[in-house]
Amino acid sequence: MSDMKTIGVLTSGGDCAGLNAVIRAVTYRAIRGYGWKVLGILDGTAGLLDSPPRHRELRIDTFDASLLRESGTFLGTTSKGNPLHYQMPDGSFRDLSPEFARGVGALGLDALIVVGGDGSMRIVSQLCERAGVGMVGVPKTIDNDVYCTEYSVGFATAINVVTEALDRLQPTAASHHRVMILEVMGRDTGHIALNGGIAGGADIILVPELPYTVAGVARRINQLLAEGRTHALVVVAEGVKTEAGEAASVKDAQGRPRYGGMGHYLAEKLATHTPAEIRVTILGHLQRGGSPSPRDRLLASAFGVHAVDIAAQRRFSRMVAWRDRGVVDVPLSEVTIGARTLDPNDALIHTARGLGIHLGEQRARKRE
Ligand code: F6P
């Protein structure tokens, strides 16, 4: 039996749909299953770094209203700054591990449940280790690029958004005889593009993991037109590089480079290769919002309950994961090694090719 009394839960990194459902599941299981006190840390690790630490106690009735149905995170999150190497206002860098440990101590946390992507988990696991508090990770990200889990919270809802976007773009494409390019998120991975593109009936899907040429894309479009199709749907992941291998990044308001720009790059390049009229849609942060899909709510619920259960067993430094239709847990060390890219042998790549979707050129075999 566990001697724990108080646990903390925080969300870290970019938001997505289903985070509130995870926090709810953690709270329900911790209170109903173990009688623990649950503290929600505000704004990710930032809440623990402040003195006094910013938090709110979570109770069963915290979730009486519509939180299960809402995207975002009602606790707030942060995706800026690394507390292990934090840039201070004067430009110097500091390790804020002592502040983190002080926050954990002030709240009397016996364990911390961290809902985050691989980057957040890498950072927070080190902070927890130094603070001497056990951590359990819950994977979330629309990019679905966390290792060791088939699905992360937020991905399923993002795929619904991409699919719906293509459902909306197709009639316009058909009516105006256009090529519609849809740029989707995913950082350096193509999970969103591949899954959403297949589900939404795309003709061409470009992902960072597979090589392509503009001429090849144009050839496929012209071939479709020659076969009598009046339009085409193209999905391009934001992490796809230009033909020269450069990132087509855009700048944010502060002048810092961001992912994005591939949709317009492709449209501009294609214009000289095809007579088709081309339009570009950037789906952007719409992919992170909307009511979480039933699949994400199920995943969030299973993850939250299991995270508390393994914390109760003091099996720390682990992440809950989804494998073979069930929830399991894996060592954090196997997860925090970076982003899981698309495996070129992924079954869905085979599916896409089987459907005749153009995924770029398969690498030419080296001549002997
Ligand atoms: O990692 C999730 C994600 O939505 C990526 O797909 C995207 O590139 C990035 O976050 C956007 O980050 P921000 O919200 O900081 O613009």
Side-chain angles (χ1 to χ4, degrees):
M1 197 52 200
S2 158
D3 54 356
M4 292 207 291
K5 290 188 176 61
T6 306
I7 62 165
V9 55
L10 64 80
T11 47
S12 178
D15 76 314
C16 62
L19 296 176
N20 295 324
V22 177
I23 302 163
R24 171 181 178 266
V26 165
T27 305
Y28 279 13
R29 184 64 178 153
I31 295 176
R32 290 187 168 142
Y34 301 96
W36 296 341
K37 186 172 178 180
V38 183
L39 301 182
I41 311 300
L42 303 184
D43 299 331
T45 49
L48 275 178
L49 297 175
D50 285 349
S51 184
R54 289 181 294 114
H55 69 285
R56 61 177 280 192
E57 183 168 351
L58 305 180
R59 303 174 196 276
I60 299 293
D61 65 8
T62 305
F63 301 91
D64 280 355
S66 57
L67 278 173
L68 171 68
R69 295 156 231 291
E70 291 171 14
S71 59
T73 162
F74 77 105
L75 294 178
T77 184
T78 178
S79 55
K80 286 194 300 277
N82 172 359
L84 295 167
H85 188 64
Y86 197 83
Q87 185 158 30
M88 307 304 286
D90 67 359
S92 63
F93 287 90
R94 268 199 58 205
D95 176 1
L96 300 183
S97 302
E99 281 79 357
F100 184 89
R102 184 191 58 207
V104 166
L107 296 181
L109 300 184
D110 297 308
L112 186 62
I113 298 198
V114 176
V115 193
D118 67 293
S120 295
M121 280 193 260
R122 192 164 42 247
I123 293 168
V124 186
S125 61
Q126 286 182 56
L127 290 166
C128 285
E129 208 172 295
R130 292 176 192 181
V133 64
M135 168 184 155
V136 176
V138 176
K140 67 85 215 166
T141 166
I142 64 165
D143 305 335
N144 207 33
D145 59 358
V146 178
Y147 272 104
C148 301
T149 183
E150 289 162 10
Y151 296 108
S152 295
V153 174
F155 178 63
T157 307
I159 295 309
N160 286 359
V161 175
V162 174
T163 306
E164 194 189 331
L166 289 168
D167 288 351
R168 287 169 187 248
L169 289 172
Q170 190 274 337
T172 299
S175 306
H176 288 269
H177 301 186
R178 281 177 180 163
V179 171
M180 290 291 193
I181 298 178
L182 179 67
E183 181 186 299
V184 300
M185 284 184 161
R187 292 188 190 269
D188 295 316
T189 65
H191 302 284
I192 296 179
L194 183 65
N195 285 257
I198 293 175
D203 301 295
I204 294 160
I205 303 173
L206 300 184
V207 296
E209 294 88 343
L210 298 175
Y212 76 98
T213 61
V214 173
V217 173
R219 228 178 359 259
R220 182 67 184 134
I221 292 171
N222 293 336
Q223 190 184 22
L224 286 168
L225 298 179
E227 287 168 6
R229 270 280 292 284
T230 54
H231 64 281
L233 297 177
V234 180
V235 174
V236 58
E238 64 179 1
V240 170
K241 301 273 197 301
T242 67
E243 272 191 309
E246 285 158 6
S249 64
V250 290
K251 296 237 162 74
D252 70 9
Q254 284 75 36
R256 291 174 299 220
R258 314 280 324 151
Y259 283 91
M262 254 333 272
H264 288 294
Y265 164 84
L266 198 61
E268 199 182 302
K269 295 285 171 190
L270 280 174
T272 57
H273 288 75
T274 171
E277 195 181 9
I278 305 172
R279 291 286 186 274
V280 179
T281 302
I282 316 283
L283 206 43
H285 290 82
L286 290 176
Q287 291 156 97
R288 301 220 305 232
S291 184
S293 71
R295 168 100 7 231
D296 266 332
R297 297 184 200 188
L298 289 171
L299 196 66
S301 302
F303 279 174
V305 168
H306 194 67
V308 170
D309 285 345
I310 63 174
Q313 296 157 20
R314 296 199 162 274
R315 294 175 56 231
F316 294 125
S317 300
R318 301 187 72 77
M319 182 190 84
V320 297
W322 192 259
R323 274 194 198 159
D324 299 330
R325 304 183 65 234
V327 60
V328 295
D329 52 88
V330 296
L332 268 177
S333 54
E334 287 180 18
V335 171
T336 54
I337 51 176
R340 180 181 63 88
T341 53
L342 261 177
D343 179 347
N345 296 317
D346 192 295
L348 282 181
I349 290 183
H350 181 71
T351 301
R353 290 210 169 105
L355 290 168
I357 298 173
H358 179 83
L359 296 177
E361 284 73 27
Q362 309 213 28
R363 262 181 225 290
R365 288 243 182 94
K366 268 196 186 160
R367 295 202 182 166
E368 297 296 314

